[in-house]
Amino acid sequence: MPLRRLILPFLLLTSAVSCATFHPSQVQESITPLILQGREVCTAWSGAPGKWITAAHCTTAEEPLAFRDATRSTVLLRDVVQDLALLTGPVAPALRLASAHPRLGDPLYVYGYGMGKGVLILLPGVYIHPGSTFFDSPAGVEEMLIGGANGMPGMSGGPILSKGRVVSVMTGGGTAPSPTHLIGTGVPLRVLREFIHTALRK
């Protein structure tokens, strides 16, 4: 049964998982570039001690991803339909999930290591829609829409925060100079909740 159809309790992270709500200036330890063949290719964020979340399209079966400290990563869980993956990695403070969707027009903040430059980028955006097939997603797949923060190569897998809590994971967007170049996409919050609830049991 697809993860998105599982019936889950409202609380996703157990009391045993130490989480915190972060100010934008305090998240760097919990967000890291993922390295493949010496190049920064994507972004991951800490969902629990020693466990990291990224986009599934960032992972590869041929060669393991690595962290900045050269720690090799193992893929624990992968959902290619919803574009989510859980990785092993170093211990870092875990980011906390939001309990509810933002409201239309609320500010969002997309974090990631764009263009392989080794710099954590913060892109401000606005919340548009909780789950849409705006970009002709595969059947049954919807994506959260973010205005003004399309991202760039390397940002995939990075967390999207609202009021210091994670509401989505960056997965894609439009291409410049198309009319959609200022629309970014992420995993719907309900899908992310289901994935994390399952993943943190691994």
Side-chain angles (χ1 to χ4, degrees), residues 110-163:
V110 181
Y111 290 84
Y113 287 85
M115 306 301 293
K117 301 297 184 180
V119 176
L120 181 61
I121 295 172
L122 168 60
L123 297 177
V126 295
Y127 181 75
I128 297 176
H129 198 278
S132 169
T133 55
F134 188 85
F135 282 101
D136 298 323
S137 307
V141 177
E142 296 182 339
E143 297 172 306
M144 178 183 286
L145 297 183
I146 304 105
N150 183 22
M152 63 190 74
M155 299 286 285
S156 289
I160 300 172
L161 274 64
S162 173
K163 299 178 181 178

Side-chain angles (χ1 to χ4, degrees), residues 63-139:
E63 186 172 347
L65 294 162
F67 290 80
R68 268 184 171 164
D69 64 358
T71 300
R72 290 297 181 98
S73 179
T74 299
V75 177
L76 296 176
L77 184 64
R78 196 165 179 259
D79 184 345
V80 295
V81 175
Q82 298 293 350
D83 203 6
L84 288 168
L86 177 74
L87 312 174
T88 61
V91 174
L95 300 182
R96 189 171 181 180
L97 278 185
S99 60
H101 287 287
R103 295 180 298 176
L104 178 66
D106 277 356
L108 300 179
Y109 299 93
V110 181
Y111 290 84
Y113 287 85
M115 306 301 293
K117 301 297 184 180
V119 176
L120 181 61
I121 295 172
L122 168 60
L123 297 177
V126 295
Y127 181 75
I128 297 176
H129 198 278
S132 169
T133 55
F134 188 85
F135 282 101
D136 298 323
S137 307

Side-chain angles (χ1 to χ4, degrees), residues 10 13-14 17 23 32 37 75 88 115 126 129 138 141 146 158 182:
F10 183 76
L13 302 179
T14 67
V17 177
H23 183 273
T32 184
Q37 297 179 348
V75 177
T88 61
M115 306 301 293
V126 295
H129 198 278
V141 177
I146 304 105
L182 287 179

Side-chain angles (χ1 to χ4, degrees), residues 21-33:
T21 300
F22 293 93
H23 183 273
S25 65
Q26 298 172 312
V27 299
Q28 191 154 1
E29 186 180 355
S30 303
I31 305 171
T32 184

